Amino acid sequence: MYYIDLAVTGISFGCMYAMMSVGLTLVYGLLRILHVAHAAVFALGAYVTVLVGNATGSILLGFLAAVIVTPLFGIAIYRLLYEPLLKYRPDVPMIASVGLLVLMQDAFRIVFGEQGITFHRNAFAFTTFNFSGVTVSAVQIAIVMTAAVVFTGLHLFTTRTRIGIGWRATVSRPQIAASFGIDPIKVRYLNFAVGSALAAVAGGLVAELNNLVDPGIGFVVSYKALAIIVLGGLGSVRGTLIASLVLGLVEAYGTIFIGAWLDRDAIAFLALIVLLMIRPQGFTGARTA
């Protein structure tokens, strides 16, 4: 049962990584920009969830506020930061993105303090269930169920609705999509809004899991998310989901076998380095000569 407990932990972390990383994948697929500032959106979502949750006494309202605020922030990032820089080489907007991440991290530190903030009431963080000897926390269940609902909804939206099909067409065949009258600017706004909302949900769930939001909450996650989208095959949503789950499971089992020498984050980065050395084109990428 112990190893099943680890699998549950790994899958729940993998789902969290997936919700964080898919936003990066969507932006890269559309604009070919490594959207490093996505980690700032993740952190903003966590802060909004805690602040509104404490103010209203409802964590659910905290999540709702985060899902409303962060898409607006994501759209502002595109409009004010990326759009003026799209005429330059891709590394120019990426460097600007890193600058925004550092700026936001310092802003969180100045406004909320170095130690961060916690939920006043977070019963979910300490609630566990036992299923035939397998212990699962309420937050782990919430992470997995939320990811299942979000990605099922995203799949249906992009395959069953006119707007979603237009979005996919713009990402994969931008010139053909434009010839059918699809506005690429509106698609970019939609892209940043959806990706930011996903990051906000992931940030809120991590805040609930740790019962803490500090200024550095997005930093390590940003490195992992960048490595995940490379490992999954740049621009591939399916590859990103696979890589996220693989990383979550490697972290969970790695803490048992080599946890005495390396912490969880070090294990994750070691695994990513090894996997990228074995398959540098990513899980879904084509091997090049």
Side-chain angles (χ1 to χ4, degrees), residues 32-237:
R32 294 295 185 266
I33 293 174
L34 287 175
H35 178 34
V36 181
H38 194 59
V41 181
F42 170 87
L44 178 64
Y47 273 105
V48 172
T49 302
V50 175
L51 290 171
V52 176
N54 287 342
T56 63
S58 169
I59 294 178
L60 187 60
L61 286 178
F63 275 100
L64 181 61
V67 171
I68 293 173
V69 170
T70 53
L72 299 176
F73 185 65
I75 291 172
I77 290 175
Y78 166 71
R79 180 68 183 85
L80 302 176
L81 184 69
Y82 292 142
E83 192 173 70
L85 300 176
L86 289 178
K87 57 187 175 185
Y88 301 107
R89 298 182 317 183
D91 54 338
V92 174
M94 188 191 73
I95 292 170
S97 186
V98 173
L100 178 61
L101 173 60
V102 175
L103 178 66
M104 289 294 295
Q105 188 179 20
D106 285 341
F108 291 138
R109 182 178 293 107
I110 292 170
V111 175
F112 301 110
E114 186 73 43
Q115 302 303 317
I117 57 176
T118 63
F119 286 104
H120 295 161
R121 294 176 58 189
N122 185 13
F124 283 115
F126 309 103
T127 302
T128 60
F129 301 94
N130 192 293
F131 299 99
S132 302
V134 178
T135 302
V136 183
S137 74
V139 179
Q140 288 175 327
I141 295 174
I143 291 174
V144 174
M145 290 183 65
T146 302
V149 170
V150 163
F151 290 121
T152 300
L154 190 61
H155 173 73
L156 293 175
F157 175 70
T158 55
T159 56
R160 305 292 176 83
T161 69
R162 182 179 176 83
I163 297 175
I165 293 172
W167 179 15
R168 288 175 55 212
T170 303
V171 172
S172 58
R173 299 285 189 274
Q175 294 180 339
I176 295 177
S179 69
F180 280 90
I182 298 172
D183 187 341
I185 302 301
K186 290 181 180 178
V187 171
R188 290 172 184 176
Y189 288 155
L190 175 65
N191 212 55
F192 275 86
V194 172
S196 299
L198 289 176
V201 172
L205 288 169
V206 171
E208 198 174 344
L209 183 67
N210 299 332
N211 198 31
L212 173 68
V213 182
D214 60 45
I217 188 173
F219 226 64
V220 173
V221 175
S222 68
Y223 297 145
K224 290 184 182 179
L226 286 173
I228 284 171
I229 67 169
V230 174
L231 184 60
L234 284 168
S236 169
V237 173

